[in-house]
Amino acid sequence: MEARRMSVTRMARNSMRMLSAMLCLGLFLSSCIDKCIYDHYEHTTVGGWEKNDALTFDIPSLKESGRYAMSLGLRTSEAYPFQNLSLVVEQTSFPSKKKTVDVVNCNIADRQGTMLGNGITLYQYTMPIRKKFHMRGDSLHITVRHNMKREILPGIVDIGIKIDRE
């Protein structure tokens, strides 16, 4: 009886080890498949995002050259008073010092004031900025500022940049 109990215990330990090894292998393989190479958000000030207060993102040089896609993330609250938001995104690559400027127009709410983003109290929006661009060892400096008539915008919580490998 004692030998049988030890055998069952040994089998349980071996099963747990096998399960743990398979779980670790699955996590390792899923991390290799992940295409996201950069995803970072910056917070705006609680009192409102000022027009002259540009948010900056410094993306280190990529080890692998390839094709990438960049998107802008936006989180708002119901305190945002407009249907749309206009953002200016300036990108400077180093060491080439090539500069590009994009104006991104975001639809935040419909005519009835219903927020169009995903969420309940905070709403998430994602807008593509650049699709299928090449980076070969360059680093990027990105600034984002709003381009609205009002100097201080309430309800803008976070702005983010995400880069995915194509």
Side-chain angles (χ1 to χ4, degrees):
M1 185 75 166
E2 189 67 33
R4 186 172 182 197
R5 203 176 297 154
M6 285 178 59
S7 177
V8 169
T9 304
R10 202 173 293 147
M11 285 176 43
R13 273 192 231 136
N14 286 341
S15 295
M16 289 299 288
R17 286 182 187 149
M18 181 65 95
L19 181 63
S20 295
M22 290 176 67
L23 182 62
C24 288
L25 181 63
L27 288 173
F28 174 76
L29 290 175
S30 69
S31 68
C32 293
I33 295 171
D34 189 19
K35 295 181 177 185
C36 179
I37 60 164
Y38 183 84
D39 191 6
H40 180 74
Y41 279 81
E42 288 289 330
H43 303 292
T44 61
T45 57
V46 176
W49 187 19
E50 293 187 36
K51 192 170 202 159
N52 295 329
D53 187 17
L55 301 174
T56 61
F57 302 86
D58 289 309
I59 301 163
S61 63
L62 302 177
K63 295 177 183 175
E64 296 180 28
S65 64
R67 294 170 68 154
Y68 298 92
M70 185 184 307
S71 59
L72 181 125
L74 170 67
R75 294 181 186 133
T76 66
S77 70
E78 290 181 346
Y80 185 71
F82 303 110
Q83 292 177 351
N84 300 307
L85 173 64
S86 180
L87 299 172
V88 177
V89 181
E90 295 181 14
Q91 305 167 49
T92 307
S93 60
F94 292 99
S96 66
K97 295 186 181 178
K98 181 182 175 187
K99 187 174 187 176
T100 59
V101 178
D102 296 306
V103 176
V104 180
N105 293 308
C106 315
N107 293 323
I108 304 296
D110 62 16
R111 291 184 185 268
Q112 290 75 32
T114 304
M115 302 300 257
L116 300 174
N118 296 322
I120 298 172
T121 57
L122 288 180
Y123 299 92
Q124 175 78 34
Y125 304 84
T126 303
M127 285 76 53
I129 300 173
R130 293 174 67 188
K131 292 183 180 180
K132 298 182 182 176
F133 69 97
H134 291 273
M135 282 184 67
R136 293 192 176 104
D138 286 352
S139 61
L140 284 175
H141 176 76
I142 299 173
T143 60
V144 180
R145 60 183 167 78
H146 75 79
N147 193 29
M148 303 293 282
K149 290 181 181 178
R150 185 184 262 191
E151 287 294 317
I152 298 175
L153 287 180
I156 304 295
V157 179
D158 298 311
I159 301 288
I161 298 290
K162 183 177 180 182
I163 299 177
D164 292 314
R165 183 177 289 114
E166 287 284 309

